[in-house]
Amino acid sequence: MLGIAELEERNPQQKQNGQTLPKLGMGHRLALMRGAIDPLYFHTKTRPMLYDLCRNDPETVHELMLDNLKRHGRAIRVLSAPFFRPPENLMINFMGRRLAPFGTAAGLDKNADAVEALSSIFPIQENGTFIIPPRDGNPKVRVAAYQEELDLFNAQGFPSKGVTYGANNILQYRSRGGDGILWANICGLPLSENNAVGVAMEEMKNLMLILNNYVDGFVWNPFSPNTAALKLLREPKVFYETSKLMAEMAPGKLRLVKIGPYEADDTIRALSLVEAFMVGRGHGVVTTNTKLVAKEDLPDSIKASWGYQSAGRSGSFLKTYRLRSVSDIRESFPGSVIVATGGIFTPDDAYFSFRAGANVLEGYTPYTYFGVGLLRKIMDGVSKRLEAEHITLEQLQKEVADEAKSRSGR
């Protein structure tokens, strides 16, 4: 688990994206160790300590955590597995495995640096977003935490070490016997409106060619809120053609599309995109992505120093959007695979996402606030609720799916 192997005497400074990361002292290592299994301790003690160490930059904190996980991956993999073993009533059959349907969301481990360590905690990982060339993204500071509402704001602009680096990390994990379910979140990245669709499609082909032998599925991400040219991809025709391309390039893989948050009066358009992707032989969706907000709508504590005209907002703010989209998509496409993400902080958040129709739950922002020990708390809380209802998660999911099929007549 996070920090278990950190009790080594030596912990040299590490460089991440050319930046020297702060050195962890013994107090930090002990706090990480306890915070890995105690979400409240992580939130009130470990996290503030790391923010002080990293001069209140959420991105540096995140890079430091990933670096720690990567360097101690094998030890963490062995030591953390017993603590994160799920309750039996959460186990379902999914993708040919018997597992508890919880995973990491895209962005938590963009470059697949920590797949080995995280595989002992999360049965499913969604790595990326992978893009073709290495890319610095926007100048820092480009991430801000808003603790009052448990949200994050970002204007990262697709920073990436490039798909070759990420694929090599995954290859090394597989070569050591790693068999966790890995999905690659990918996007062809047009940097201008000139031939944006053509550029995106060609890059998608190359991304799948590079990653196809190492991953179990692909998630297309056309909804990054901080990249203007991606708007041109958000049309039913492009969704259909991209889905067809994914089916041709990765016929034996799970193929999903990530959907952005939408307001109630935009439901028809959002579902038209999902329909186009499904008709093109896609399997389902990941919902929901971060939401674009204008600078003037940022909290005052962030707005004054924010250097961009907008930001993507994630965290507890997305709860309403997540439940709306999961419910809408399950009703409209009863047989689809639905991966819910966005503001899943509590057992109730998780339970009601399953009740709305989710097959799998993912998280990123909640774990930055409460550490990976939050997963244990969520699993135990959902398990107890199911026990009280005398039902397993597998039975609940079948019940929800059958009801949706009955209502739709499909």
Side-chain angles (χ1 to χ4, degrees):
M1 61 195 71
L2 283 178
I4 278 289
E6 291 172 358
L7 297 178
E8 298 178 352
E9 287 300 318
R10 292 189 182 132
N11 181 28
Q13 290 178 316
Q14 299 292 312
K15 283 192 174 182
Q16 190 82 314
N17 296 327
Q19 175 188 0
T20 300
L21 296 174
K23 182 178 179 180
L24 290 169
M26 180 59 73
H28 302 109
R29 297 196 289 270
L30 291 171
L32 279 168
M33 180 175 166
R34 179 171 173 185
I37 60 175
D38 184 341
L40 182 59
Y41 185 89
F42 184 94
H43 184 66
T44 59
K45 301 294 184 182
T46 308
R47 185 175 177 274
M49 185 182 296
L50 293 173
Y51 268 66
D52 285 344
L53 182 67
C54 297
R55 299 181 179 181
N56 290 314
D57 178 21
E59 193 167 3
T60 303
V61 171
H62 194 73
E63 290 169 354
L64 182 62
M65 297 294 282
L66 286 174
D67 176 72
N68 172 66
L69 286 165
K70 181 174 184 176
R71 287 187 293 114
H72 303 297
R74 274 178 256 190
I76 294 170
R77 183 177 174 185
V78 171
L79 293 170
S80 63
F83 179 77
F84 289 98
R85 186 172 292 121
E88 182 59 34
N89 64 350
L90 297 185
M91 302 295 280
I92 68 168
N93 291 317
F94 184 74
M95 294 188 69
R97 311 278 185 97
R98 188 74 179 165
L99 52 76
F102 297 89
T104 61
L108 190 148
D109 187 9
K110 293 179 186 294
N111 298 291
D113 281 311
V115 284
E116 185 157 22
L118 291 170
S119 68
S120 61
I121 302 169
F122 297 94
I124 300 166
Q125 295 179 64
E126 184 181 337
N127 301 112
T129 299
F130 293 112
I131 58 175
I132 293 292
R135 176 178 163 87
D136 290 335
N138 294 326
K140 295 182 177 181
V141 175
R142 57 196 183 185
V143 180
Y146 186 44
Q147 178 149 327
E148 291 85 344
E149 295 189 17
L150 301 178
D151 286 343
L152 286 178
F153 294 89
N154 92 83
Q156 289 184 299
F158 276 114
S160 173
K161 296 176 184 177
V163 66
T164 302
Y165 174 92
N168 185 58
N169 281 339
I170 295 172
L171 174 60
Q172 290 183 40
Y173 167 68
R174 295 299 194 202
S175 69
R176 292 192 290 266
D179 63 352
I181 293 176
L182 302 181
W183 299 336
N185 183 294
I186 58 176
C187 185
L189 188 59
L191 300 180
S192 72
E193 296 186 1
N194 183 34
N195 191 31
V197 174
V199 169
M201 296 288 273
E202 186 62 29
E203 290 194 357
M204 286 282 288
K205 287 182 186 178
N206 290 327
L207 288 163
M208 286 184 280
L209 279 171
I210 293 169
L211 292 163
N212 199 36
N213 289 336
Y214 314 124
V215 301
D216 303 283
F218 290 100
V219 182
W220 176 43
N221 178 19
F223 270 95
S224 171
N226 297 303
T227 307
L230 291 184
K231 293 179 182 178
L232 299 176
L233 307 183
R234 298 171 202 158
E235 297 293 336
K237 181 180 179 181
V238 180
F239 269 56
Y240 172 73
E241 293 296 337
T242 303
S243 184
K244 277 182 58 181
L245 174 65
M246 293 172 74
E248 292 165 6
M249 298 292 297
K253 310 292 183 179
L254 184 69
R255 302 180 299 276
L256 308 174
V257 62
K258 193 161 192 181
I259 296 295
Y262 59 86
E263 305 297 340
D265 58 4
D266 201 28
T267 299
I268 292 175
R269 172 166 172 74
L271 293 180
S272 74
L273 296 176
V274 177
E275 181 177 27
F277 188 80
M278 298 295 288
V279 171
R281 292 166 56 200
H283 297 118
V285 303
V286 177
T287 184
T288 181
N289 209 336
T290 55
K291 182 172 175 59
L292 185 68
V293 294
K295 180 176 181 177
E296 56 264 28
D297 295 326
L298 298 179
D300 291 340
S301 59
I302 295 173
K303 187 189 309 181
S305 59
W306 193 248
Y308 298 94
Q309 293 306 305
S310 61
R313 185 176 185 179
S314 62
S316 62
F317 168 79
L318 292 173
K319 291 182 181 183
T320 299
Y321 295 97
R322 166 178 37 84
L323 288 173
R324 174 189 295 136
S325 58
V326 170
S327 179
D328 288 344
I329 294 167
R330 178 57 68 214
E331 284 293 310
S332 299
F333 309 98
S336 62
V337 174
I338 300 177
V339 180
T341 187
I344 302 175
F345 282 85
T346 69
D348 278 354
D349 292 334
Y351 172 82
F352 285 112
S353 293
F354 286 130
R355 270 282 174 203
N359 300 98
V360 175
L361 307 185
E362 290 183 342
Y364 172 7
T365 301
Y367 299 114
T368 70
Y369 276 102
F370 292 96
V372 293
L374 179 64
L375 177 61
R376 177 80 262 172
K377 179 180 178 181
I378 288 174
M379 289 195 299
D380 287 344
V382 175
S383 176
K384 288 177 182 176
R385 183 145 191 170
L386 293 171
E387 282 180 5
E389 297 180 8
H390 306 289
I391 192 172
T392 66
L393 179 57
E394 198 161 45
Q395 291 167 338
L396 172 64
Q397 290 185 328
K398 183 179 186 303
E399 177 185 299
V400 172
D402 287 347
E403 289 174 356
K405 289 176 183 176
S406 176
R407 287 190 294 269
S408 71
R410 298 183 187 183

